[in-house]
């Protein structure tokens, strides 16, 4: 079984401040980890992924995430948030190698105030 | 940029009726998926499809559900006899072959069963 926890329903930050969205996972075996973002009335847009290699991965729109195996975490970060980053963020995990299904967290709503 | 498309964007149907949700995956992708999100709940995996057959399905995907790739471009989800609890947003996704590739999601079809 695999699962993802996003402990914060909402994150509020001021524009220009650092943004962190937390994610922890549980999976038997090695994980593939993903972050997606959803804007109102839109589908889920891929932001970044961790497959193997460097624990710090960089993605779209200036986002990055750090894989921490000992803490089973994959937190999403952005050094300087923009108002346009306000959206719903989902963390997801897949079990390597043969599972293709994604298990999603409940999502975190990010609000960036001007 | 290629994208996954879904039709219709909103479908209203009466309990017991059959519905077909349609998706056009990205053209060079070979893996196809359906997920659903009941209002206020997590995005849940329904089924994955590869090489013209189901590769994995969840316990949600019972005999009332079926998937088909009727031609080289469309991928459909059929619900034979809809129930009130089938009301949800249904997302189609596709990915390239290979272990590390991310899934790209369509904008979703909101299904309302009355």
């Amino acid at each position: 079984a695999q699962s993802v926890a996003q402990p914060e329903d909402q994150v509020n930050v001021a524009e220009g401040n650092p943004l962190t969205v937390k994610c922890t996972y549980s999976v038997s075996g090695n994980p593939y980890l993903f972050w997606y973002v959803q804007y109102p009335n839109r589908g889920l847009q891929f932001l970044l992924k961790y497959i193997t290699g460097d624990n710090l991965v960089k993605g779209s729109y200036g986002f990055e995430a750090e894989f921490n195996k000992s803490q089973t975490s994959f937190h999403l970060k952005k050094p300087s948030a923009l108002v346009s980053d306000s959206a719903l963020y989902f963390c997801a995990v897949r079990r390597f190698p043969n599972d293709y299904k994604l298990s999603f967290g409940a999502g975190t709503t990010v609000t960036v105030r001007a | 940029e290629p994208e996954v498309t879904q039709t219709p964007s909103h479908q209203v149907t009466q309990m017991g009726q059959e519905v077909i949700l349609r998706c056009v995956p990205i053209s060079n992708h070979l893996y196809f998926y359906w997920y659903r999100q009941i209002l206020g709940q997590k995005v849940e995996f329904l089924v994955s499809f590869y090489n013209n057959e189901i590769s994995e399905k969840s316990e949600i995907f019972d005999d009332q559900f079926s998937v088909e790739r009727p031609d080289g471009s469309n991928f459909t989800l059929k619900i034979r006899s809809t129930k009130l609890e089938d009301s949800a947003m249904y997302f189609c996704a596709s990915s390239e072959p290979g272990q590390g590739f991310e899934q790209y999601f369509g904008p979703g079809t909101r299904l309302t069963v009355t």
Side-chain angles (χ1 to χ4, degrees), chain B residues 41-64:
Chain B
Q41 298 186 23
K42 290 184 180 184
V43 176
E44 302 173 289
F45 169 79
L46 292 178
V47 65
S48 59
F49 189 86
Y50 171 69
N51 202 24
N52 279 320
E53 60 182 24
I54 291 173
S55 49
E56 191 173 3
K57 61 182 181 179
S58 71
E59 58 274 10
I60 302 168
F61 195 88
D62 61 21
D63 292 345
Q64 293 300 310

Side-chain angles (χ1 to χ4, degrees), chain A residues 12 14 16 20 25 27 34-35 38 40 43 48 52 55-56 61 67 71 82 91 97-98 101-102 105 109 111-112 114:
Chain A
N12 298 305
T20 299
Y25 67 90
V27 68
F34 302 83
W35 275 101
Q38 186 179 32
L48 51 78
T52 187
N55 290 340
L56 185 65
Y61 313 119
F67 171 63
Q71 296 186 2
L82 301 172
C91 181
N98 294 323
K101 67 173 184 281
L102 291 173
T109 299
T111 302
V112 182

Side-chain angles (χ1 to χ4, degrees), chain A:
Chain A
Q2 56 204 52
S3 64
V4 171
Q6 293 181 243
E8 299 158 318
D9 292 336
Q10 292 203 10
V11 169
N12 298 305
V13 298
E15 189 171 36
N17 280 3
L19 169 64
T20 299
V21 185
K22 294 179 181 175
C23 170
T24 58
Y25 67 90
S26 172
V27 68
S28 56
N30 292 320
Y32 283 173
L33 294 155
F34 302 83
W35 275 101
Y36 286 84
V37 61
Q38 186 179 32
Y39 297 98
N41 301 315
R42 302 285 297 275
L44 285 75
Q45 289 179 238
F46 169 74
L47 275 181
L48 51 78
K49 65 183 177 185
Y50 171 81
I51 302 300
T52 187
D54 284 344
N55 290 340
L56 185 65
V57 294
K58 294 186 184 297
S60 307
Y61 313 119
F63 283 94
E64 57 190 30
E66 186 164 14
F67 171 63
N68 187 317
K69 188 171 184 177
S70 63
Q71 296 186 2
T72 62
S73 67
F74 189 56
H75 301 330
L76 181 71
K77 300 181 182 185
K78 187 170 184 180
S80 178
L82 301 172
V83 171
S84 57
D85 294 328
S86 299
L88 182 57
Y89 290 79
F90 291 97
C91 181
V93 67
R94 242 188 69 193
R95 188 173 61 119
F96 174 86
N98 294 323
D99 262 359
Y100 281 83
K101 67 173 184 281
L102 291 173
S103 296
F104 284 88
T108 299
T109 299
V110 170
T111 302
V112 182
R113 60 186 184 276

